[in-house]
Structure formats: C-alpha cells, structure tokens
Amino acid sequence: MSGRDAGERTVKSLQDFLAFSEMAARIVSGGKAAYDSDEITRLAAEAVLHRLGESVARLPGEFVASHPEAFFPAGSGATC
C-alpha cells in the first residue's frame, strides 16, 4: 500500500470514527431510562459500538503507535 493510500485509509477510518461517535452521542442523549426501556435503542447502541471498533481496527499500526495516548495497550484487557 502506498503512503497516499495509507493516508487516505487513515483519514477515512477517522472520519468513520467521528461519525459513529456522533451517532453514539445521539443514542445516549435520551438517557438511561430511554435506553433501558427500548430494545431498538439498545440494539442501535450495540451496532454503533461495533462499528466504532471496526473503524479503530482499520487504523494502520503506525498511526496507532504514534498516538499511544489515544489507545489502550495491547493485552491490557481494555477494549475500544
């Protein structure tokens, strides 16, 4: 993969991450009671969290390594 392709992939992954983060914010804006009482909301939250994880997984290793403050260390048991 060329440097340009890797850069475009990184930008696309970060744009996806931002879009999915905004979706998650809209979901939680309804509050815990709305989340607890609505199966559709819970399923939507699950789907958005899955997509957030996928967008992070697509980030090149070099990008992740250059931003350790933004990512959990491998093997820590924490997930994004």
Side-chain angles (χ1 to χ4, degrees):
M1 180 180 306
S2 75
R4 180 177 174 183
D5 291 342
E8 290 173 1
R9 180 178 146 202
T10 300
V11 168
K12 174 68 171 125
S13 294
L14 291 170
Q15 289 171 334
D16 288 347
F17 184 84
L18 180 59
F20 296 135
S21 296
E22 291 169 351
M23 286 179 204
R26 288 194 305 271
I27 291 169
V28 301
S29 70
K32 185 172 178 359
Y35 177 87
D36 288 343
S37 67
D38 185 10
E39 179 181 35
I40 302 289
T41 299
R42 291 191 305 274
L43 291 171
E46 180 181 342
V48 169
L49 288 173
H50 182 77
R51 289 179 182 196
L52 274 166
E54 288 176 344
S55 68
V56 170
R58 286 193 311 268
L59 289 169
E62 299 83 23
F63 180 85
V64 174
S66 67
H67 298 283
E69 72 284 359
F71 301 96
F72 294 106
S76 70
T79 57
C80 294

